[in-house]
Amino acid sequence: MNLARLVGVVSLLALAGCSQGTPATAPPTSLPSAPASSAPPSSAPASPAPARFAAGDVRIALVRQLSSGDYFEQWLAGAQAEAKALNVRLEVSSGDGNNDKQALNLEQAVTAGADAIIVDHGFAQTVQPAIKKAVAAKVPLVAFDVDPGAAEAVALTQDDHRIAEQALGALKADTGGTGEVVYVHVAGFAPLDRRDETWRQFKKDNPGIKQVAQIGVVNNSTASAVADQAKAALQAHPGVKAIFAPYDEFAKGAALAVKELGLGDRVKIYGADVSTADIAVMTEPGSPWVATSATDPANVGRVAVRAAALLVAGSPVEHALTVPPALITQKGLRDAGITSVEQLTRAFPELSTPDVARVPWTAS
Ligand code: SR1
């Protein structure tokens, strides 16, 4: 793949200098001149694996709120790959959107004597009581995309404010900061709530942007439910020129609605997350989905498992770990001929963050 052509693909924002526990800060707006060469060099293990890891005697429970959809599938694949690399048994449960079931799964992981627990999403009011029990039982815990409500837990997030800022930056550049916008949001999910904070500030800073409708649902068929809602919103507000849909299932649903209404030349979509299926949607002829801000979800799953493994080993882990996003544009993807996340991450190894929760006994 021609790297010079790839420079336009991704604004690799906030990637440089992101180390374990260092929240991503507002990045420079320039692109790196040679993205592929700025990846961390691979290195040999700094220390031997602790005996329990070498013996395959470590069990980490992954307690999920949600499991369907591209993001969550990729995230799990990354977590499983890292668990395999660390010789850890990863015991996966999902509430499948049932918050009480997730809380029960969490209590069962404590009772079953997991060496560490990763809580993946969830609502604070349902998981925090069970997290408190895990902490009381001295089970190390990593909380991804959920407020653990316990100082003892490691909190892992993507930089959600930056995700929203990058997508909205693209929206502003394309619209000139004026026009009617449909917003897709569901309250209660920590990453969406953080993106919502940025959206609220963005509206204050850009009074020419008018939110004419808010839609959103999260369930096992989020994209099709959002498509139905988006169609109704677009029919009710024919002047809309952008949809801010900061979750890939939202963006896919919005894209379907725009396509079915034949509005692709007039309504553009600014999303979050990326998958191979998302890239196909973004790059198909006439697609309205023009920009997305994303991490590599598999990389984030890997970070979660590494952080849990470090806790099991008694190694220090920063209290807050943040993975920075990159802005990916339709034009950049098309120009570079990128059709999969594998191509995207090969072209931009910075989308992997081995220094976030680096494990000293594995090679990077
Ligand atoms: C329902 S919450 C969906 C979000 O969780 C992760 O943070 C992904 O980025 C996704 O957008």
Side-chain angles (χ1 to χ4, degrees):
M1 189 164 294
N2 180 342
L3 278 176
R5 293 179 68 213
L6 286 173
V7 169
V9 174
V10 177
S11 295
L12 284 168
L13 305 178
L15 294 179
C18 178
S19 60
Q20 176 178 310
T22 305
T25 52
T29 50
S30 60
L31 296 172
S33 55
S37 67
S38 54
S42 71
S43 58
S47 61
R52 288 188 61 200
F53 285 86
D57 186 30
V58 174
R59 291 165 47 225
I60 296 176
L62 170 60
V63 182
R64 317 190 82 192
Q65 180 189 33
L66 303 164
S67 53
S68 64
D70 293 349
Y71 183 90
F72 295 102
E73 287 166 19
Q74 293 177 95
W75 197 100
L76 178 62
Q80 288 172 325
E82 192 66 64
K84 190 171 177 197
L86 292 170
N87 203 25
V88 160
R89 185 138 44 101
L90 189 66
E91 298 171 349
V92 184
S93 65
S94 175
D96 294 318
N98 179 331
N99 296 318
D100 294 333
K101 184 176 163 194
Q102 185 194 18
L104 196 60
N105 290 340
L106 183 45
E107 290 189 6
Q108 282 171 349
V110 178
T111 311
D115 295 302
I117 298 174
I118 301 165
V119 182
D120 172 15
H121 287 71
F123 286 174
Q125 64 270 27
T126 45
V127 296
Q128 285 188 356
I131 287 176
K132 281 193 175 50
K133 289 182 190 168
V135 168
K138 303 227 175 308
V139 183
L141 196 137
V142 176
F144 171 57
D145 266 357
V146 58
D147 174 7
E152 296 84 349
V154 168
L156 169 64
T157 60
Q158 304 169 121
D159 189 340
D160 292 294
H161 292 120
R162 193 70 199 134
I163 284 174
E165 281 167 17
Q166 288 186 342
L168 291 170
L171 183 154
K172 184 173 178 178
D174 291 351
T175 60
T178 62
E180 295 185 356
V181 178
V182 172
Y183 175 44
V184 194
H185 176 65
V186 175
F189 294 93
L192 303 186
D193 288 346
R194 283 188 286 272
R195 295 167 201 175
D196 183 60
E197 288 168 3
T198 300
W199 168 240
R200 288 168 187 271
Q201 187 59 46
F202 179 81
K203 285 188 290 181
K204 280 188 194 150
D205 294 344
N206 296 277
I209 296 286
K210 302 280 179 225
Q211 178 185 313
V212 293
Q214 179 174 322
I215 58 174
V217 59
V218 173
N219 61 24
N220 280 336
S221 48
T222 297
S224 59
V226 167
D228 291 341
Q229 294 179 334
K231 265 197 222 171
L234 290 168
Q235 283 165 333
H237 302 281
V240 165
K241 59 181 182 182
I243 301 178
F244 179 43
Y247 168 25
D248 63 346
E249 300 302 320
F250 292 167
K252 274 188 286 199
L256 191 61
V258 172
K259 188 175 162 182
E260 287 185 6
L261 293 174
L263 297 174
D265 54 343
R266 191 159 63 68
V267 181
K268 304 299 176 195
I269 296 162
Y270 302 83
D273 308 317
V274 73
S275 68
T276 295
D278 295 342
I279 290 172
V281 174
M282 287 180 73
T283 54
E284 73 181 8
S287 172
W289 188 357
V290 293
T292 193
S293 174
T295 66
D296 171 10
N299 173 60
V300 183
R302 281 183 171 274
V303 170
V305 171
R306 289 203 300 272
L310 286 167
L311 293 173
V312 173
S315 302
V317 186
E318 295 293 329
H319 180 62
L321 302 173
T322 306
V323 179
L327 180 67
I328 299 160
T329 65
Q330 179 187 72
K331 181 178 186 317
L333 290 170
R334 284 179 178 164
D335 287 352
I338 287 182
T339 58
S340 69
V341 168
E342 287 69 30
Q343 288 177 353
L344 195 65
T345 54
R346 264 204 304 277
F348 290 93
E350 295 88 346
L351 286 171
S352 301
T353 57
D355 285 336
V356 182
R358 177 180 286 282
V359 170
W361 65 88
T362 57
S364 65

